[in-house]
Amino acid sequence: MARVDVENTDRLREIVDEHGWPGRSLVGEEGAEHAWLLAQHASTRLDFQRRVLDLLTAAVAAGEATPRQLAYLTDRVRMSEGKNQIYGTQYIRDEHDHRVPYPIEDGVHVDARRAGVGLAPLGECP
């Protein structure tokens, strides 16, 4: 499975190099979602995720990607950098093996930020 992920991520990098972010108008809704999933799970390639984060920011502004996708990747990159997340999309296991959100910056306003990108309140997440 890891080999397939690496191959798919390498292919996504080639597509990004040639075309920029593969947004809706280039690859359709499903293709854009799959591209985002590959980038989201390319955790061992933080440099690539940072690059995609910049491209995805522009894609959201152009209507080529969703704010939800940007929120998830933002949190994933911040977590990889050892920073608190913004939207509360990333989870870890605590000392009792319970699933808990990775630390959140300004947690008091996290639900407002989540609402702004189309996510349910943190308390409603499984």
Side-chain angles (χ1 to χ4, degrees), residues 39-114:
Q40 177 74 7
H41 292 107
S43 298
T44 62
R45 297 179 176 185
L46 184 56
D47 61 323
F48 180 62
Q49 284 185 317
R50 285 183 184 125
R51 180 175 171 215
V52 167
L53 189 58
D54 290 340
L55 294 171
L56 199 56
T57 299
V60 169
E64 291 291 322
T66 69
R68 176 191 60 81
Q69 292 168 338
L70 183 59
Y72 271 84
L73 189 58
T74 297
D75 282 351
R76 181 66 61 99
V77 167
R78 289 180 64 91
M79 184 176 158
S80 294
E81 294 173 335
K83 298 176 184 174
N84 291 349
Q85 61 179 326
I86 303 295
Y87 299 97
T89 63
Q90 304 301 300
Y91 286 77
I92 58 174
R93 295 280 178 183
D94 69 10
E95 64 275 4
H96 305 291
D97 202 35
H98 297 119
R99 186 175 176 263
V100 297
Y102 186 79
I104 300 169
E105 187 169 303
D106 186 21
V108 172
H109 299 105
V110 68
D111 284 340
R113 290 191 302 273
R114 289 174 65 86

